[in-house]
């Protein structure tokens, strides 16, 4: 499965953005999907994840209460609604598909970029203060 993130942009602190992750090829509806982000000079970090059905979701502490991950398997798309954005949320946001059915079951697996595949080019989110 190949993924492509979109919907990024420039927003003021306190604003909102909704990112989309569109899938092509493969079996999207059977894959966990996670959002990661990478700021300049930093490692790619986990933001949020959804199980294949959307019934289970996971968030980084930095995203809890502000971000919401959801999916529409009929549209082969996962979303990340980001509210109350902060300058420290500035990064390129990527989505990845879990490489196994157990990707999300362990914290280590969930947080590791190597547990995912299908990364696209990412979408830039810039939050101004």
């Amino acid at each position: 499965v190949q993924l492509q993130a979109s919907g990024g942009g420039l927003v003021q602190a306190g604003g909102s953005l909704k990112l989309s992750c569109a899938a092509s090829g493969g079996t999207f509806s059977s894959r966990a999907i996670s959002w990661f982000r990478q700021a300049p000079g930093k490692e790619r970090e986990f933001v949020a994840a959804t199980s294949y059905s959307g019934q289970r979701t996971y968030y980084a502490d930095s995203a809890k209460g502000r971000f919401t991950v959801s999916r529409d398997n009929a549209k082969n798309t996962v979303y990340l609604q980001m509210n109350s954005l902060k300058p420290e949320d500035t990064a390129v946001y990527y989505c990845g598909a879990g490489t196994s059915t157990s990707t999300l079951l362990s914290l280590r697996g969930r947080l590791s970029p190597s547990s995912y595949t299908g990364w696209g080019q990412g979408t830039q989110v810039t939050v101004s203060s």
Side-chain angles (χ1 to χ4, degrees):
V1 63
Q2 189 62 34
L3 306 174
Q4 183 60 54
S6 62
L10 174 63
V11 63
Q12 288 187 334
S16 299
L17 282 174
K18 186 173 184 178
L19 306 184
S20 297
C21 172
S24 59
T27 53
F28 172 81
S29 61
S30 65
R31 309 286 284 274
I33 302 294
S34 288
W35 287 95
F36 281 69
R37 66 187 182 188
Q38 188 165 17
K42 295 188 176 181
E43 294 185 350
R44 191 167 296 192
E45 65 173 2
F46 172 81
V47 177
T50 173
S51 63
Y52 73 95
S53 66
Q55 290 186 335
R56 289 181 289 119
T57 57
Y58 305 85
Y59 297 93
D61 287 344
S62 59
K64 287 179 182 177
R66 300 188 301 128
F67 295 2
T68 303
V69 61
S70 62
R71 69 190 295 160
D72 185 341
N73 284 342
K75 295 183 178 180
N76 282 359
T77 303
V78 170
Y79 305 98
L80 184 67
Q81 176 68 47
M82 305 187 296
N83 299 327
S84 302
L85 283 162
K86 305 174 182 179
E88 51 263 45
D89 294 319
T90 295
V92 178
Y93 284 69
Y94 301 87
C95 50
T99 56
S100 79
T101 57
S102 61
T103 294
L104 300 186
L105 298 183
S106 73
L107 180 62
R108 183 175 182 178
R110 190 158 67 239
L111 301 186
S112 174
S114 64
S115 298
Y116 302 88
T117 187
W119 304 104
Q121 290 187 337
T123 186
Q124 176 71 48
V125 171
T126 303
V127 184
S128 63
S129 57

